[in-house]
Amino acid sequence: MLKYVVKRILMIIPVVLAVSFIVFFIMDFVPSDPAVTVLGDGATEEQLDYYRETHGLNDPLIIRYVRYMEGIVQGDLGTSYAQNRPVWNIFFEKFPNTFKLAVASVVVTVLLSIPLGILAAVKNNTWVDTVCSTFSFVGLAMPNFWLGLLLIMLFSVNLHLLPSTGAVGVKSLILPAITCGTGNMAALTRITRSSMLDVLRQDYLRTARAKGQSEGKIITRHAFKNAQIPVVTQIGIQMSTLLGGAVLTERVFAWPGVGAFLVDSIQKSDFEVVTGFVIMLAIFVSIILLLVDVVYAFLDPRIKAQYSKG
């Protein structure tokens, strides 16, 4: 198991190299000049040329890329053109807010979707199944920004119960988490329902019923336990997606996260921030997917045995 984990950690290196080069390559073709971003439109041509030369902007792409990767190895993600601050510091100012929002959103999704998926599977092809499936798709049908605005109007403007913007305290997290969480309900509910339906047809559940075990115990302890792997996979995917930044939600609630700041940096042609943020997000997403694989081993002893043999 340890050997597999180490191997997966080492696989993050080529992922980071590929992502960084693609982003670096794309940013090189964006029609914008970092020198103008830093010095302003009033700078003379001599000042612009001097800035480009001293900061290596005139060097070939491959040389600038190698120099950038050397900095990353030393823990340097570059300096923001727009803010003149280390990208590393900016990222870890924004990332905790995004991480909190992602975790809270996944919790909302799990609390709503898994019970709906289990109930829909147990009551398959009944009106309960139809109601659960329809309710789960409501979140998918409603755009995030529209749902967020409705929640603000209800809980902030009319009832004055929750703050509408900012990231101060737990209360400010509730509305953004509900907005993001309900948007992911449909996928997780569908995966849970499908996985449970496959398990409910297995012979060992009929054996458990023949032994006199209660239906609730059969569903929770036997059926859902063996249906968890696809569910965990979907949760990991949703967590990875949310770490990239729920841009619309962050915009609506003025949430100071990675996604909204990344969009602002693209608009300002702050290439150092864009490249650094994408690389760091790729690392964190790779870690999330690694944790999902490790969880597989604890859920299914057969997978753990394969890891040990591998």
Side-chain angles (χ1 to χ4, degrees):
M1 183 68 180
L2 179 61
K3 182 179 178 181
Y4 174 79
V5 172
V6 172
K7 181 179 179 181
R8 284 297 306 270
I9 292 175
L10 293 177
M11 287 175 62
I12 296 177
I13 297 176
V15 171
V16 172
L17 289 174
V19 169
S20 61
F21 182 78
I22 292 172
V23 175
F24 212 87
F25 181 81
I26 293 174
M27 288 295 118
D28 192 61
F29 285 91
V30 175
S32 181
D33 190 351
V36 177
T37 302
V38 175
L39 301 179
D41 295 332
T44 64
E45 193 61 36
E46 289 77 12
Q47 291 173 326
L48 295 174
D49 289 338
Y50 179 77
Y51 182 90
R52 298 187 191 103
E53 189 63 34
T54 54
H55 287 80
L57 298 177
N58 292 329
D59 295 337
L61 173 65
I62 190 64
I63 294 177
R64 286 185 282 118
Y65 174 73
V66 171
R67 186 166 58 236
Y68 184 80
M69 295 307 297
E70 289 176 350
I72 289 181
V73 173
Q74 300 171 10
D76 181 13
L77 291 173
T79 303
S80 169
Y81 295 136
Q83 297 193 10
N84 195 27
R85 294 177 56 207
V87 175
W88 180 274
N89 295 347
I90 299 174
F91 179 82
F92 282 101
E93 283 179 5
K94 304 295 181 182
F95 184 74
N97 292 326
T98 295
F99 185 77
K100 287 188 292 186
L101 177 58
V103 172
S105 301
V106 169
V107 169
V108 171
T109 304
V110 169
L111 292 178
L112 293 174
S113 300
I114 290 182
L116 286 175
I118 294 175
L119 186 59
V122 173
K123 303 294 184 179
N124 185 36
N125 292 328
T126 66
W127 67 269
V128 177
D129 183 12
T130 303
V131 170
C132 291
S133 300
T134 302
F135 181 74
S136 67
F137 278 95
V138 171
L140 181 63
M142 290 189 296
N144 277 4
F145 70 89
W146 184 72
L147 176 60
L149 292 174
L150 289 181
L151 293 176
I152 290 174
M153 291 175 61
L154 177 60
F155 292 101
S156 299
V157 177
N158 295 330
L159 300 179
H160 305 287
L161 294 176
L162 298 170
S164 60
T165 59
V168 182
V170 178
K171 283 188 174 182
S172 61
L173 183 61
I174 296 175
L175 294 184
I178 293 175
T179 302
C180 285
T182 52
N184 293 323
M185 279 177 52
L188 188 58
T189 301
R190 186 172 64 253
I191 292 294
T192 304
R193 178 182 179 275
S194 300
S195 184
M196 283 291 295
L197 285 175
D198 290 339
V199 174
L200 289 173
R201 300 188 182 101
Q202 300 300 318
D203 293 336
Y204 68 87
L205 293 185
R206 284 194 285 268
T207 303
R209 291 188 180 95
K211 290 181 178 179
Q213 295 189 15
S214 65
E215 191 67 20
K217 184 178 180 181
I218 292 173
I219 297 299
T220 57
R221 184 170 297 183
H222 298 291
F224 182 65
K225 182 179 180 181
N226 291 295
Q228 287 181 356
I229 288 183
V231 176
V232 170
T233 302
Q234 184 63 32
I235 292 173
I237 293 172
Q238 292 183 0
M239 184 68 182
S240 302
T241 303
L242 289 169
L243 283 182
V247 178
L248 290 177
T249 302
E250 291 180 1
R251 288 290 193 183
V252 170
F253 293 97
W255 187 263
V258 170
F261 191 84
L262 188 58
V263 172
D264 291 338
S265 300
I266 293 173
Q267 294 173 345
K268 295 175 182 177
S269 301
D270 199 345
F271 301 149
E272 294 287 315
V273 169
V274 175
T275 306
F277 273 37
V278 171
I279 290 174
M280 292 302 298
L281 291 174
I283 293 174
F284 278 103
V285 168
S286 299
I287 293 173
I288 293 294
L289 297 179
L290 170 62
L291 292 177
V292 169
D293 283 351
V294 173
V295 171
Y296 287 167
F298 291 96
L299 295 178
D300 192 339
R302 294 171 298 180
I303 297 178
K304 186 175 182 179
Q306 291 177 1
Y307 286 164
S308 300
K309 293 178 181 178

